[in-house]
Amino acid sequence: MTATPTSSTKSPKKSLDRSCLPLVIAVAGHRDPIASEVPRLREAFRNDLQALMKELPVTPLVMLNGLACGMDSEAAEIFLDLVAEQRELNPIIPDHKLIAALPKRKENYRNDFTIGPERERFEKLLSNCHVVLDPSNCANLRDEKNPDVDLPSPDCYGKQGMFLVRHCFFLFAFYNGYETLEVGGTSQSVAMQKGEVHSMFLNVDEVLATREPSALIEYDTPRQKNSDSSHHRSSDKYWIGTDQKKTLRDLLEIPRKLEAINKEVANPSLTLLQWAPLRTAMWAYVDGKASSSKRFYLIWGLTLLLSGWLISISLVEPPWQSLGLLMIFVALVVFPSSKSGPKQSFIEYRCLAEALTVQDFWIDLGVQVDAADLFHTQLHLELGWIRTVLRARKIHLMTRQDNKLPPIQTTTLATETWITNQVSWLNQRIIEQKLLDRLLNRLIQGSLIATLTLSLLAITPVLRTPLMWFTEGGIATFVALLACRQLLGYEETNARYERSRDQFSRGLKAIEKAKSTSSDNSQKIQRLRCAFEAVGREKLDELNDWVADQLKRSYNPGG
């Protein structure tokens, strides 16, 4: 899947970007909690936040927060206080960050806060944010039709809620459980996080529930608006999608994958091959993991084929049939549960490496498309964690200090080199796979002819016994070779590779035209973004086809 030139030259370790993947969390809460309940809510939130940091000691938390009055501000203050306390105890803790995600441009959003303590609190929190995202610098928070003007209320809050839910894994919701039929309200954010259809849905994704299942912690928060002073308090609720769990630790399957990647990223022995498209330790680890899983998977596949061959041979004579039947039993019981291990790991990490390449280049080029949305996992939920990683990586890149992009010339050169390598690699693989497929076909034909010849000779009574084993061996070899060709699927793979090669070649031509025929620099940049977006979309389409093709291929030596 990735262009891998034969050069084994390693890049210097100092050139690696060793930044960790953040776990993105977000807050949605009522603006008017009953004052007497706030201490209880603050304590519950602080305890869960502290537990999360303890469970994930090397993973930075990035909190997306709208900084609205009420529980948003309370949660932001607790987050900042807890990070300061942790840093005082241990100066080398992960780089936890508070990110403001505002529904309006900050100069307009200030008017939502009354002059005095309320606005002063907002300004103080804003000054402590690592980055401030608002419609002026974040396409996901602005009106697509009229990007220079803030959306009116409540549509701007609905847009903000969609941004928070789409990009976080954990949503901490301070919610009283009442449906208020308000666009952009806490109940809508809770519904989106669970994958439910809210009464006031605004987006196609809310109806289709295309987002992968994520975690929700729900704190029962009585509010003044609903006169909840006598409201019966319920315990905190923990959810993955619509499945309620017992504790916070039950929500950590995907965060622990991030933690494992981050631990490897910090490994000083990690190196990067010179041809690697991304100069990041994370990409180096993910690509290396995919390569090692592929080697293990190929060894496992050959083991399965050999097992099938032995089973076929062992069924020839009654003394050996009991052994053959035992091997069939082992194949039926053991292989289905274990064969998915190396194969699944190979698919997951290869997908992640390829999608990360597209995501990073798009962000650096200013392409306003989310790679996670184009990597389809609805039929393969076990791959949903990859989309979580892609969204976390996107937030990390978006919230670099001052949200500055690398120079367009640098990114263009790196991306063009990657596309050129893709075309070269695809050409090479197409030629190799045509030769291998031709060789397999000839071996299949040869084994068939040899087996038929031996079968005809075995008709003679004198030759029947000595040729029996050879005949059975020929039949087993013929079947094994057929299974091998089916598993490898060179013909289908080449058809997919040829389509991708042609699309990448078109992309290179488009890039050359954009560079040579654009007199205006802004027009040139826009055309380059268009070309790179098209190539990225093609890469993700190829990836989706490849995943579907790989997951449908299976071989069971038991039959």
Side-chain angles (χ1 to χ4, degrees), residues 361-393:
F361 281 142
W362 274 355
I363 292 291
D364 288 346
L365 289 162
V367 175
Q368 302 294 336
V369 181
D370 195 337
D373 290 339
L374 299 177
F375 177 60
H376 302 147
T377 61
Q378 285 86 344
L379 296 179
H380 314 296
L381 296 180
E382 67 277 6
L383 302 180
W385 71 274
I386 297 172
R387 298 176 75 180
T388 299
V389 170
L390 292 175
R391 297 186 200 281
R393 179 66 178 171

Side-chain angles (χ1 to χ4, degrees), residues 191-262:
M192 287 190 290
Q193 186 74 356
K194 287 184 175 181
E196 297 174 344
V197 180
H198 187 259
S199 302
M200 305 301 291
F201 66 87
L202 296 172
N203 192 285
V204 172
D205 288 341
E206 291 183 68
V207 180
L208 295 178
T210 57
R211 189 175 179 277
E212 61 281 0
S214 298
L216 169 70
I217 302 180
E218 202 175 326
Y219 304 102
D220 189 3
T221 306
R223 59 187 306 193
Q224 299 172 24
K225 180 177 180 179
N226 299 115
S227 302
D228 285 342
S229 58
S230 60
H231 173 72
H232 175 69
R233 310 288 176 264
S234 63
S235 58
D236 303 337
K237 297 177 182 177
Y238 301 90
W239 305 83
I240 284 287
T242 55
D243 295 331
Q244 188 168 354
K245 304 296 183 179
K246 293 181 179 180
T247 66
L248 173 70
R249 302 185 81 178
D250 297 328
L251 311 180
L252 298 181
E253 180 180 355
I254 289 178
R256 287 195 177 108
K257 286 181 178 286
L258 270 63
E259 177 79 359
I261 292 174
N262 288 333

Side-chain angles (χ1 to χ4, degrees), residues 3-23:
T4 54
T6 55
S7 171
S8 60
T9 305
K10 303 288 182 89
S11 64
K13 294 181 184 179
K14 65 180 181 180
S15 67
L16 282 178
D17 171 12
R18 294 188 177 274
S19 55
C20 291
L21 273 171
L23 176 65

Side-chain angles (χ1 to χ4, degrees), residues 165-423:
V165 169
R166 285 177 65 81
H167 292 91
C168 76
F169 177 78
F170 265 101
L171 179 68
F172 294 89
F174 298 90
Y175 175 49
N176 66 351
Y178 293 157
E179 173 58 77
T180 57
L181 299 179
E182 292 179 350
V183 172
T186 303
S187 63
Q188 186 171 20
S189 296
V190 168
M192 287 190 290
Q193 186 74 356
K194 287 184 175 181
E196 297 174 344
V197 180
H198 187 259
S199 302
M200 305 301 291
F201 66 87
L202 296 172
N203 192 285
V204 172
D205 288 341
E206 291 183 68
V207 180
L208 295 178
T210 57
R211 189 175 179 277
E212 61 281 0
S214 298
L216 169 70
I217 302 180
E218 202 175 326
Y219 304 102
D220 189 3
T221 306
R223 59 187 306 193
Q224 299 172 24
K225 180 177 180 179
N226 299 115
S227 302
D228 285 342
S229 58
S230 60
H231 173 72
H232 175 69
R233 310 288 176 264
S234 63
S235 58
D236 303 337
K237 297 177 182 177
Y238 301 90
W239 305 83
I240 284 287
T242 55
D243 295 331
Q244 188 168 354
K245 304 296 183 179
K246 293 181 179 180
T247 66
L248 173 70
R249 302 185 81 178
D250 297 328
L251 311 180
L252 298 181
E253 180 180 355
I254 289 178
R256 287 195 177 108
K257 286 181 178 286
L258 270 63
E259 177 79 359
I261 292 174
N262 288 333
K263 286 180 179 178
E264 294 295 334
V265 164
N267 187 344
S269 65
L270 194 65
T271 54
L272 192 69
L273 293 173
Q274 191 171 7
W275 52 261
L278 303 181
R279 316 305 293 178
T280 67
M282 181 173 62
W283 194 92
Y285 165 69
V286 170
D287 180 69
K289 181 77 171 177
S291 298
S292 61
S293 297
K294 181 179 181 179
R295 287 192 294 271
F296 186 27
Y297 171 47
L298 290 176
I299 293 172
W300 189 251
L302 291 174
T303 302
L304 293 181
L305 288 173
L306 179 60
S307 300
W309 191 87
L310 290 173
I311 288 173
S312 298
I313 293 295
S314 65
L315 294 175
V316 178
E317 285 290 313
W320 297 94
Q321 286 175 354
S322 58
L323 177 61
L325 292 173
L326 178 61
M327 294 176 68
I328 290 176
F329 174 77
V330 171
L332 290 173
V333 174
V334 177
F335 289 154
S337 61
S338 58
K339 70 181 179 182
S340 62
K343 179 178 182 178
Q344 187 68 25
S345 179
F346 164 52
I347 292 172
E348 289 179 359
Y349 283 95
R350 177 51 58 210
C351 285
L352 183 54
E354 301 292 348
L356 278 172
T357 303
V358 174
Q359 179 75 86
D360 275 40
F361 281 142
W362 274 355
I363 292 291
D364 288 346
L365 289 162
V367 175
Q368 302 294 336
V369 181
D370 195 337
D373 290 339
L374 299 177
F375 177 60
H376 302 147
T377 61
Q378 285 86 344
L379 296 179
H380 314 296
L381 296 180
E382 67 277 6
L383 302 180
W385 71 274
I386 297 172
R387 298 176 75 180
T388 299
V389 170
L390 292 175
R391 297 186 200 281
R393 179 66 178 171
K394 177 185 175 184
I395 289 295
H396 169 73
L397 294 174
M398 286 176 61
T399 57
R400 289 172 291 200
Q401 192 65 46
D402 299 327
N403 200 17
K404 290 182 178 178
L405 299 177
I408 189 71
Q409 297 86 352
T410 303
T411 307
T412 298
L413 178 61
T415 312
E416 194 172 358
T417 301
W418 170 67
I419 298 173
T420 302
N421 285 340
Q422 288 289 309
V423 172

